[in-house]
Each structure stands twice: as C-alpha cells, then as structure tokens.
C-alpha cells in the first residue's frame, strides 16, 4: 500500500481552521457545514430551539435537511444533503451502546427522508472534534475527501484521485494515511461507500473503527435507503475524522455519578444474563435465526414461508463454532460490554475481484443471514459470509439486496423473467452462484445486476411495461413499501407487525417497531386499542435512541431480574429509568418517562410533516403489499392450510368444506385487508392524526412542534 504516492496526488481545495471549543452538557453548540460545489466550510450555531425541539442525532439531521431542500429537490440534486450527527448522550464510555451516528438524506429509493443508524467511531469523534453535526451539501467536480483534525482544529477538502473506492480497501488506506503511528489508528474514523454505490440505488455507507486486537479496520453500516448512492453521487470518496484523547468525561456532563451508576447496573446485568438470554457476546444479532424459524417468522422464498427444514445449516451455533472469533472484544465503541459486533477472521473469498484474499467479515447480522440466506433459499453459511463481505465493501445494503434477489427469484420461477432477460443468470431459489454474480454485476454497473440495483419499486414497473407482467401479482409479492425493501421478518400472522412496517415514516424497517413477540407469542396486545398503543409508544421510544446517539440493543436484549414483576414488562421499565438518568445526568435537565416520549413525538411528527411537504406521507402511502398480510398463492395457503382453514372457521364462521383454495384465499384476503385498515384508523387516532394520516394542528401544539413552517404545510393538506 503506497500511501505516500496517494497523498502526493491530493490537491487541497480549501482549508478551514477553527477554535477547538469545549463540549458542555453533551453539546458543542455548533455544527460543521461543508459545501462541495463551492468548496466552502463554515460553522453554524446550534440553537436552544434545536436542542429543545430536535434534541440531536436524526432530529438535527431532519431540521438541517428541511432548511436545505425545497419541495422540488430530488435526491441527486446538489441541494440535497447528507447530515451525520450523534446526540447529547453519544460518546459516553460508561454505558453500553453510546457510539451511534445517525445519517439523514433524501432517498433515491423512496423520494422522502431516510434515516439510518450506525456504529463505529465517527459520530463520537466528530463531537469530540468540536461538532454536534456534519452537514454536507453540493457536488464536487472530482472525487474528494473531507478531513477533520479534531486536535489541530483543521478541516480540509482534498481531491483524492488514486485511492480505492471499495470500503474495506479504502478504510484501510485512509486509516494508514492519516494515522501517525500504529497506536494512532484507533483515533481515525472513516466513512466510505463502494463501487456498487456508483451503479445502484441501494448504496450504503461504511463507518470504520480500528480493531486494536485484530489490527484491522472494521466496518459498520448505515445501510438503508440508498444513502451511499447519494454519497457517491456527490463525488465524496470519504469523510475522515481524527481525534486523540477519548476519555469518559469529554461530554462534560452535569452529573457524572448518575451516568456511572446507570452504567454499572447494566454492565452487571449483561455479565450475569447475556449468556442465558440473547447471547450477544457469542453470536451478535444472529442469535435469533433459529428462534424466528421456530415461530414461523423467518422469511423463506420471498416471504412465502416462515421456516425451512435446512435452517439448522445456518443457525447461530454454526457461525459461532466455525467462523466467529471468540474471546475478543467486539464492541464498536468504547465501553460496550454487550460486544455484539462479531467478526469472522481470515475468511478466504471464493469469487469476485478479491478471490483468494483473506479478509475479516463483520457479521453476519441476523438481517443479512435471514435475507441473503433463508429468504433466497440459500442455506450455506460460507455463501452468507461471502455475500456479507461483498455487500459491505461494494457499498450495498444487505437487506435491500436480499429482498430484491428473493423477489427476482420468484419472478424467475414464475416465468415473469427468463434467462434471456437476466443475461443467462438462472435465478432460481437456492442458486448461490447466480446470486453472487448478480452482486458482482452491481459493482461493475453492468448486466442484469445494474437493472436489479434500481430496487423493487422500479423493477415492478419495468416488468409490467416491458414484459407484460401481471401488475396485481407484482404488487402483492414485491416486498417494498414507500419504495424501501422490507427487512427480514415475516409479518403475515402479526397484525401489529404489519402496522410496525406499514405505518413507519421511512418505510418497512423494524427499528421503529418490532412487535411480533408481543403480538403473537405473548398475546400482550389483543385489541386494536392495545395494538395502537404499542404502535404509538414503541416507535416513539425507539426514535429516542436516534436522537441521543444510542444503540437500542442494550434496552431490550438484556432483561433485568426485576422485569417479570414490573407493571409493563415489554417496556423494560428499569432500563427506561436508566435512559432517563443518562439524559438528565448529561444535560442537567429533569425529564421523566413521559417527557422522554414527548421528545420523540416532536421529531416523529415533524418527519411525518416533512414527508407530506415533499408529496408523500398520507394514508395512501401506508398501504403494504398483500404478502406481508396474508397468503398470495395457492402454494402459500396450502402450506399452512390447517391454520388458515381454522382461522376462517373461528374468526369468520366460514365453512371451508368443498371450497377451492382460491375461494378461501379471497375470503381471507378481504378479512385481513379490512383488519389492516381498522388498525390504521386506531393508530392514527392514537397518534393524534387525521384519518388521512396528517398530524392535526392541535396535536402539534400539544407537543410544542407548532413551528410556523410546520403549521403552514399541515394547513395546506387538511
């Protein structure tokens, strides 16, 4: 790696010097604005209004984006921005999961705001360098790197013509380039995309952290909605931040003791319970693969089915015993004893441009294993790891790639597309060779892979317009909503989870609401009102993590001993109090559990109005594909015939004898679609929205989000 030659070719387009400043109670009180079209760098004041109404994290991102774009702005216009922000709690080292960054932009898939959370060191180091957020606008003429030195107080925009594009190579190159020694590498964090982000709409961002034990640069992903595509469209090769001197009190909190005590409580619980509960330290989020299969919730063959006899081949113990390195610290920020950032070391690649290379593969996360594995009918752990690696380094969202590929496989098996259309790819379920070649084509921007990279929404239209496909069938089986591909849970039998996907602001991503177990297994939310309350509380509570710079896993992937005797065990009340203590301890404020939810309500409703402002975000946009509601095809129904027949008899008093499967599917469909509409009514009412999904002015006033520009948008649509 000839770093010196790369650096020699850098051309400094602008250099900006700033006073280092000081963080007070979790805030630097300024953000960094970079305009690539004008090569301009400046500091912006973070106002008290921003801190009160938008808090930090994705709240700051939404506010900056709102003020940067118009109703006419498209994702690839220079006016679109990428905003990265942590939050007031972000960067503390005493409590697990405090290293998150939130990324906000207009999505090339959905044409609305997308937000994505990610680990790694970038967000905390950005804050410690003196900035509550980084706001990047415009387009560079050539590939550039934005470099922030948080110890010297320097920001540079540099042309960078020679470095790689792919994430794992570029992350290593830039960590080496900007570090002054081996020890200094831990002080570098890099944001990159990859070659496929140049050629698809499903590009992701990689956020690095240097693993001092493995001596390798690791990658974490802001995956959803094509953020990496926006990044590369702006000709950004990388963002780099450097900061030496991380320690536990850099946030200058109001009450360090309150933070320390909350951290000690959770560290003790993790040490005591993790091995018997979720096994995060053993296998990370992949711990639920076999659990989802056992409850018929694992997506198989494009969400047709919920389990498969070969799931044992990709169960979590397979990854734990054969591939994942044990006995190493796997947290993606200092102080995270949950240590879920697992990795397979010295994995030898079998395909593609890096064939034969030994690499570190970060993961697999549950979503990746369930998606590129079970949902595509590929029960091969080594394929899953290979696909995981190439998605990351190419800059491709593993969830979108998996759901697109599963959709294409069903289209192929139904004759909607064929080998002539796919360029020879035999996209049958289970064909790992065709699937990995599809991914390599995305990287190269050629063949059927380039078409696949447009995403399911655009593929459906192409298949109807050019190949005379049945549009109603494609709408039923194309697992996207609002333009975003579904994440990897089968919600057919959980009305609450159907709402958890369909009633999101950004599209069907489970980070807003994961209610399957509450709904199906524990039967904790039986009525529409119960479901509506859950679809109010949990999206608001989960939104809060994205305002603060926190990971949600320590909240409910560790269950405290007191939880079973609490009044509301699904909410993990002991942990809720921990988060109240963290916020109050950092900021010096005195919120309670009710104000915690109101903080999120302000931002959540603002995002809904933002969607409405750009032409989406009403009831019609909350429709979901029928496959996420019930069985579409005869084979689906008959695979669970006893279940479905009993439901028709018990819920509708429908006599199934002598009825064809098609007749039963039609009756079931009518009932389930009606149930979903009734759920929407109940949720809108609970959220304080009209029956068209618009926040009412009364609701906005109640939560203190009645900014004049917000009210103006709402009044136009009521």
């Amino acid at each position: 790696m000839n770093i010196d030659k790369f650096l020699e070719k850098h051309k400094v387009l602008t250099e900006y010097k700033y006073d280092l400043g000081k963080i007070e109670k979790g805030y630097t009180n300024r953000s960094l604005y970079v305009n690539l079209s004008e090569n301009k760098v400046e500091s912006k004041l973070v106002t008290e209004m921003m801190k009160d109404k938008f808090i930090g994290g994705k709240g700051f991102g939404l506010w900056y984006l709102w003020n940067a774009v118009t109703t006419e702005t498209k994702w690839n216009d220079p006016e679109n921005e990428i905003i990265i922000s942590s939050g007031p709690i972000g960067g503390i080292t005493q409590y697990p999961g405090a290293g998150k960054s939130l990324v906000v932009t207009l999505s090339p898939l959905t044409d609305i705001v997308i937000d994505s959370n990610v680990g790694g060191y970038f967000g905390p180091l950005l804050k410690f360098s003196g900035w509550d957020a980084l706001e990047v606008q415009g387009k560079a003429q050539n590939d550039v790197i934005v470099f922030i030195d948080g110890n010297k107080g320097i920001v540079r925009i540099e042309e960078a013509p020679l470095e790689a594009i792919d994430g794992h190579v570029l992350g290593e190159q830039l960590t080496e380039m900007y570090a002054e020694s081996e020890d200094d590498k831990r002080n570098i964090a890099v944001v990159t995309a990859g070659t496929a982000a140049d050629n698809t709409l499903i590009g992701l961002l990689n956020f690095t952290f240097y693993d001092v034990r493995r001596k390798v640069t690791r990658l974490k992903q802001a995956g959803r909605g094509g953020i990496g595509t926006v990044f590369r469209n702006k000709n950004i090769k990388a963002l780099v931040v450097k900061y030496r001197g991380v320690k536990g009190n850099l946030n200058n909190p109001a009450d360090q003791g309150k933070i320390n005590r909350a951290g000690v409580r959770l560290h003790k619980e993790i040490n005591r319970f993790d091995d018997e509960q979720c096994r995060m330290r053993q296998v990370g989020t992949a711990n639920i693969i076999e659990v989802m299969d056992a409850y018929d919730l694992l997506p198989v063959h494009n969400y047709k089915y919920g389990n498969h006899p070969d799931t044992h081949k990709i169960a979590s113990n397979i990854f734990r015993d054969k591939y994942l390195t044990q006995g190493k610290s796997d947290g993606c920020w200092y102080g995270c004893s949950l240590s879920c950032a697992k990795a397979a070391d010295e994995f030898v690649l079998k395909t593609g441009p890096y064939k034969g290379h030994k690499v570190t593969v970060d993961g697999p996360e549950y979503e990746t294993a369930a998606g590129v594995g079970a949902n595509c009918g590929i029960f091969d752990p080594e394929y899953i790891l290979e696909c995981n690696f190439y998605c990351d380094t190419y800059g491709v969202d593993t969830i979108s790639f998996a759901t697109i590929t599963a959709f294409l496989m069903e289209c192929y098996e139904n004759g909607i597309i064929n080998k002539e259309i796919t360029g020879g790819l035999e996209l049958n379920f289970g064909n790992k060779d065709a699937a990995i070649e599809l991914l390599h084509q995305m990287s190269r921007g050629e063949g059927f892979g380039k078409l696949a990279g447009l995403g399911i929404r655009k593929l459906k239209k192409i298949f109807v317009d050019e190949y005379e496909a049945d549009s109603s069938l494609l709408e039923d089986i194309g697992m996207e909503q609002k333009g975003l591909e579904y994440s990897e849970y089968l919600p057919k039998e959980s009305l609450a989870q159907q709402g958890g996907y369909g009633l999101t602001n950004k599209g069907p991503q489970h980070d807003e609401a994961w209610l399957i177990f509450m709904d199906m297994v524990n039967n904790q939310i039986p009525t529409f009102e119960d479901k509506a309350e859950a679809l109010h509380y949990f999206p608001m509570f989960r939104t809060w993590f994205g305002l603060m710079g926190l990971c949600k896993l320590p909240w409910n992937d560790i269950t405290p001993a007191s939880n079973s005797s609490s009044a509301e065990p699904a909410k993990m009340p002991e942990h809720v109090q921990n988060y109240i203590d963290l916020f109050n301890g950092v900021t010096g404020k005195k919120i309670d559990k009710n104000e915690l939810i109101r903080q999120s309500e302000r931002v959540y409703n603002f995002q809904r109005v933002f969607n409405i402002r750009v032409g989406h975000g009403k009831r019609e946009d909350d429709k979901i594909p029928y496959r996420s509601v019930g069985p579409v095809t005869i084979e689906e129904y008959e695979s669970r015939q006893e279940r479905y027949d009993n439901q028709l008899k018990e819920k509708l008093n429908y006599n199934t004898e002598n009825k064809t499967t098609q007749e039963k599917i039609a009756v079931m469909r009518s009932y389930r679609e009606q149930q979903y509409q009734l759920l929407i009514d109940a949720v809108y009412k609970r959220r304080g929205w009209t029956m068209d999904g618009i926040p009412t002015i009364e609701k906005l006033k109640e939560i203190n989000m009645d900014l004049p520009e917000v009210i103006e948008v709402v009044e136009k649509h009521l």
Side-chain angles (χ1 to χ4, degrees):
M1 186 186 310
N2 198 332
I3 298 302
D4 291 337
K5 285 189 176 181
F6 292 164
L7 199 54
E8 286 173 7
K9 294 296 183 180
H10 281 209
K11 177 183 178 182
V12 177
L13 302 177
T14 192
E15 181 172 283
Y16 173 83
K17 295 183 178 180
Y18 65 94
D19 294 330
L20 297 179
K22 185 178 181 182
I23 304 170
E24 291 289 350
K25 298 178 181 178
Y27 291 100
T28 71
N29 295 309
R30 63 185 180 182
S31 61
L32 181 64
Y33 172 77
V34 176
N35 190 304
L36 299 174
S37 298
E38 302 174 12
N39 290 322
K40 182 171 70 174
V41 180
E42 63 184 26
S43 173
K44 285 187 175 182
L45 177 68
V46 169
T47 65
E48 290 302 313
M49 182 280 289
M50 288 175 61
K51 292 192 287 186
D52 289 342
K53 294 189 184 296
F54 295 96
I55 310 298
K58 91 166 184 178
F60 281 9
L62 289 168
W63 177 242
Y64 281 133
L65 190 64
W66 172 284
N67 288 288
V69 303
T70 70
T71 57
E72 305 301 318
T73 303
K74 306 301 181 187
W75 72 269
N76 54 355
D77 288 337
E79 294 77 28
N80 189 20
E81 293 190 335
I82 295 174
I83 304 101
I84 303 173
S85 180
S86 176
I89 301 177
I92 65 172
T93 59
Q94 295 81 12
Y95 199 86
K100 286 286 189 173
S101 303
L102 278 296
V103 190
V104 173
T105 192
L106 290 180
S107 166
L109 286 172
T110 67
D111 299 318
I112 56 177
V113 179
I114 193 73
D115 60 271
S116 194
N117 72 80
V118 57
Y121 286 9
F122 191 88
L125 295 188
L126 177 69
K127 183 201 282 193
F128 299 154
S129 295
W131 308 105
D132 285 327
L134 170 62
E135 183 185 2
V136 182
Q137 192 176 40
K139 286 188 185 182
Q141 290 186 351
N142 301 301
D143 277 351
V144 296
I145 291 171
V146 178
F147 173 63
I148 303 164
D149 189 319
N151 298 107
K152 296 179 180 178
I154 294 174
V155 181
R156 289 198 300 268
I157 304 174
E158 306 174 356
E159 279 193 358
L162 297 184
E163 291 87 352
I165 299 296
D166 285 341
H168 81 291
V169 181
L170 183 56
E172 291 276 2
Q173 288 176 342
L174 297 182
T175 300
E176 180 81 19
M177 182 180 297
Y178 290 102
E180 297 174 14
S181 65
E182 176 67 27
D183 288 343
D184 199 30
K185 289 180 179 179
R186 69 169 66 195
N187 305 316
I188 308 290
V190 183
V191 181
T192 68
T195 47
D198 282 326
N199 299 308
T200 73
L201 299 184
I202 58 173
L204 60 72
L205 293 181
N206 289 298
F207 281 55
T208 74
F209 66 102
Y210 189 72
D211 189 322
V212 295
R213 296 194 183 188
R214 291 180 172 87
K215 297 190 181 303
V216 66
T217 300
R218 304 269 303 278
L219 306 177
K220 302 299 290 182
Q221 290 73 40
R224 307 299 343 251
I227 293 172
T229 300
V230 180
F231 190 87
R232 289 297 299 142
N233 182 262
K234 292 182 175 297
N235 289 321
I236 306 171
K237 183 168 280 187
L239 309 172
V240 183
V241 64
K242 178 178 181 179
Y243 180 82
R244 279 189 309 276
V246 173
K247 54 184 179 179
N249 64 352
L250 287 183
N251 268 311
N252 286 307
D255 187 343
Q256 185 72 54
K258 188 171 285 188
I259 298 166
N260 293 345
R261 289 189 292 273
V264 167
R265 288 194 296 270
L266 187 60
H267 286 309
K268 287 181 177 179
E269 289 171 3
I270 291 171
N271 186 60
R272 179 179 175 187
F273 296 124
D274 180 60
D275 286 346
E276 65 189 57
Q277 290 180 2
C278 291
R279 300 179 298 132
M280 286 290 180
R281 292 178 297 180
Q282 295 181 31
V283 292
T285 62
N287 73 84
I288 60 172
I289 295 170
E290 54 268 37
V291 178
M292 294 297 101
D293 185 81
Y295 283 99
D296 206 27
L297 300 171
L298 183 73
V300 173
H301 290 191
N302 194 31
Y303 301 86
K304 286 183 189 177
Y305 316 117
N307 60 22
H308 194 279
D310 288 338
T311 298
H312 68 277
K313 296 178 181 178
I314 60 168
S316 61
N317 65 295
I318 299 296
F319 291 105
R320 179 195 65 197
D321 297 342
K322 293 188 66 176
Y323 303 104
L324 301 183
T325 306
Q326 302 300 309
K328 290 191 177 182
S329 176
D330 282 318
C332 64
W333 177 242
Y334 296 99
C336 187
S337 54
L338 202 60
S339 296
C340 72
K342 313 315 295 181
D345 290 323
E346 298 190 342
F347 182 80
V348 180
L349 298 169
K350 299 178 177 64
T351 69
Y354 306 107
K355 181 179 179 180
H357 288 212
K358 288 183 178 180
V359 295
T360 296
V361 184
D362 281 273
E365 303 283 358
Y366 163 77
E367 296 289 335
T368 302
V372 304
N375 207 16
C376 296
I378 303 171
F379 296 90
D380 182 336
E382 296 202 355
Y383 164 78
I384 290 171
L385 288 169
E386 179 121 355
C387 189
N388 191 156
F389 170 82
Y390 272 115
C391 279
D392 290 350
T393 200
Y394 287 160
V396 168
D397 175 17
T398 59
I399 296 175
S400 280
F401 175 75
T403 303
I404 291 166
T405 304
F407 168 71
L408 292 173
M409 286 175 165
E410 184 166 5
C411 289
Y412 188 86
E413 293 199 346
N414 279 281
I416 296 167
I417 55 176
N418 54 36
K419 285 177 68 174
E420 182 178 352
I421 293 168
T422 66
L425 295 179
E426 296 182 351
L427 287 170
N428 299 98
F429 286 114
N431 191 336
K432 63 182 181 182
D433 294 332
I436 200 70
E437 174 57 24
L438 189 73
L439 180 56
H440 293 319
Q441 288 182 8
M442 288 182 178
S443 170
R444 300 192 298 266
E446 64 185 38
F448 192 64
K450 187 170 180 63
L451 188 70
L454 296 175
I456 290 176
R457 174 171 286 185
K458 290 179 173 61
L459 287 171
K460 289 188 296 186
K461 187 176 188 307
I462 291 169
F463 292 174
V464 171
D465 292 347
E466 298 187 14
Y467 309 134
E468 300 181 347
D470 180 348
S471 61
S472 61
L473 175 63
L474 294 186
E475 290 301 322
D476 283 348
I477 67 173
M479 294 296 282
E480 61 83 17
Q481 192 249 12
K482 296 183 174 75
L484 185 69
E485 284 76 28
Y486 267 63
S487 67
E488 307 302 326
Y489 298 96
L490 184 71
K492 278 193 180 85
E493 299 307 311
S494 172
L495 180 61
Q497 188 56 42
Q498 292 164 27
Y501 274 140
L503 302 179
T504 60
N505 276 327
K506 65 184 176 187
Q509 173 69 357
H510 57 281
D511 63 350
E512 277 196 21
W514 191 83
L515 302 175
I516 287 176
F517 264 56
M518 285 183 69
D519 194 25
M520 290 180 57
V521 179
N522 299 327
N523 195 31
Q524 293 170 303
I525 45 177
T527 69
F528 282 113
E529 290 73 21
D530 294 330
K531 289 176 172 60
E533 181 60 35
L535 284 165
H536 170 72
Y537 178 85
F538 288 102
M540 300 310 145
F541 187 74
R542 285 167 172 253
T543 292
W544 195 81
F545 294 109
L547 307 181
M548 299 297 163
L550 291 169
C551 174
K552 75 93 186 164
L553 294 179
W555 159 55
N556 67 346
D557 283 82
I558 288 294
T559 303
S562 65
N563 204 59
S564 60
S565 59
S566 66
E568 297 178 291
K571 294 181 179 180
M572 303 282 177
E574 181 181 312
H575 289 174
V576 173
Q577 185 59 51
N578 283 350
Y579 291 116
I580 293 167
D581 289 347
L582 290 180
F583 181 80
N584 291 341
V586 170
T587 65
K589 296 184 178 181
K590 296 180 180 180
I591 70 166
D592 59 15
K593 64 181 181 180
N594 298 315
E595 179 59 22
L596 182 155
I597 296 299
R598 284 168 63 85
Q599 288 179 327
S600 292
E601 279 192 279
R602 294 182 192 110
V603 176
Y604 195 91
N605 280 268
F606 179 83
Q607 188 170 353
R608 184 76 175 190
V609 176
F610 200 154
N611 287 347
I612 293 168
R613 179 190 178 206
V614 298
H616 303 279
K618 297 183 181 179
R619 190 179 186 114
E620 64 183 1
D621 297 295
D622 289 341
K623 181 182 178 182
I624 55 180
Y626 183 65
R627 175 156 285 162
S628 62
V629 178
V632 173
T633 65
I634 291 174
E635 62 180 339
E636 275 176 88
Y637 189 100
E638 292 181 350
S639 73
R640 308 290 188 274
Q641 181 166 335
E642 183 178 359
R643 173 196 296 169
Y644 293 140
D645 282 357
N646 286 338
Q647 289 177 0
L648 290 173
K649 294 172 187 175
E650 294 169 5
K651 295 182 179 182
L652 299 179
N653 197 28
Y654 179 77
N655 185 357
T656 60
E657 291 185 14
N658 300 318
K659 300 295 194 302
T660 66
T661 301
Q662 291 96 324
E663 289 173 321
K664 291 186 286 187
I665 287 174
V667 173
M668 170 93 45
R669 179 170 189 147
S670 176
Y671 169 72
R672 291 195 174 194
E673 288 182 331
Q674 181 187 43
Q675 294 293 104
Y676 182 67
Q677 293 301 318
L678 292 172
L679 178 69
I680 292 178
D681 291 344
V683 173
Y684 284 179
K685 180 180 178 181
R686 177 62 186 88
R687 290 182 178 177
W689 297 353
T690 71
M691 287 299 102
D692 199 23
I694 302 170
T696 64
I697 292 173
E698 293 75 18
K699 180 64 179 179
L700 294 171
K701 288 180 177 179
E702 174 195 328
I703 60 176
N704 297 318
M705 188 42 80
D706 53 336
L707 296 171
E709 52 267 65
V710 175
I711 297 298
E712 181 183 358
V713 172
V714 170
E715 286 179 336
K716 287 180 181 179
H717 292 272
L718 286 176

